[in-house]
Amino acid sequence: MLALLPYDRAAAVRYAHIWAYGRNPRYYDYESIGGDCTNFASQCIYAGAGVMNDTPTFGWYYINANDKAPAWTGVEYLYNFLTRRTPSAGPFAGEVPPERIRPGDIVQLSFDGAGWQHSPVVVAADRPRSYADILVAAHSFDADDRPLSTYEFVRARFLHIGGVYRQG
């Protein structure tokens, strides 16, 4: 049985501010082998969720650099995990328009229009919402409180984390 828990947005944002320009030694830094943005996003989400999903291949977990789910570090895999249709342990999200994005949520960017290459974490989102009002933290081009409008991208998708399932 799964229990539904709230997502602690403040904890996710605190973590993002602490580690935006540094690297938590508990996690491997993937910067030199493809980028660290989704690893950092996953760390922030975990700070707000406190629950991983240890399902091989399709879960969302990190044990060490060589024992982690593809969703922990891969942009598209994180999207697939967060937006899964069948409830399972861990955080879950849905795509929303930018007006519904909140701190602790994730923005995914496509720089080339074909795939998705970047997963910044929303740390502030004021109303009325324009891309200048959405501030993010990220690794791979480390940033904190960076306006989304300062990125050059072709497409963006906004993932609102709705809560967290925990095995009950």
Side-chain angles (χ1 to χ4, degrees), residues 77-152:
Y77 295 109
L78 177 61
Y79 174 85
N80 290 339
F81 176 76
L82 290 174
T83 62
R84 66 199 181 280
R85 295 189 193 280
T86 304
S88 62
F92 61 90
E95 271 193 70
V96 297
E99 300 80 32
R100 290 198 41 219
I101 206 76
R102 295 180 54 206
D105 287 339
I106 303 298
V107 178
Q108 292 191 320
L109 302 177
S110 174
F111 298 128
D112 62 8
W116 299 94
Q117 293 88 23
H118 199 40
S119 298
V121 178
V122 177
V123 294
D126 296 327
R127 294 183 192 256
R129 303 259 172 80
S130 72
Y131 286 173
D133 298 323
I134 299 171
L135 304 182
V136 298
H139 280 184
S140 299
F141 311 112
D142 293 3
D144 193 16
D145 288 321
R146 179 177 175 177
L148 188 60
S149 61
T150 65
Y151 284 92
E152 290 186 28

Side-chain angles (χ1 to χ4, degrees), residues 21-87:
Y21 292 110
R23 300 298 186 267
N24 184 333
R26 288 183 281 183
Y27 299 95
Y28 184 78
D29 179 3
Y30 296 92
E31 190 71 39
S32 64
I33 55 171
D36 199 55
C37 68
T38 304
N39 176 42
F40 176 67
S42 286
Q43 291 172 43
C44 295
I45 295 167
Y46 181 63
V51 176
M52 291 186 189
N53 180 317
D54 63 1
T55 305
T57 308
F58 299 109
W60 178 76
Y61 65 90
Y62 179 95
I63 296 170
N64 61 49
N66 298 312
D67 191 359
K68 61 174 176 43
W72 191 269
T73 56
V75 177
E76 195 66 38
Y77 295 109
L78 177 61
Y79 174 85
N80 290 339
F81 176 76
L82 290 174
T83 62
R84 66 199 181 280
R85 295 189 193 280
T86 304

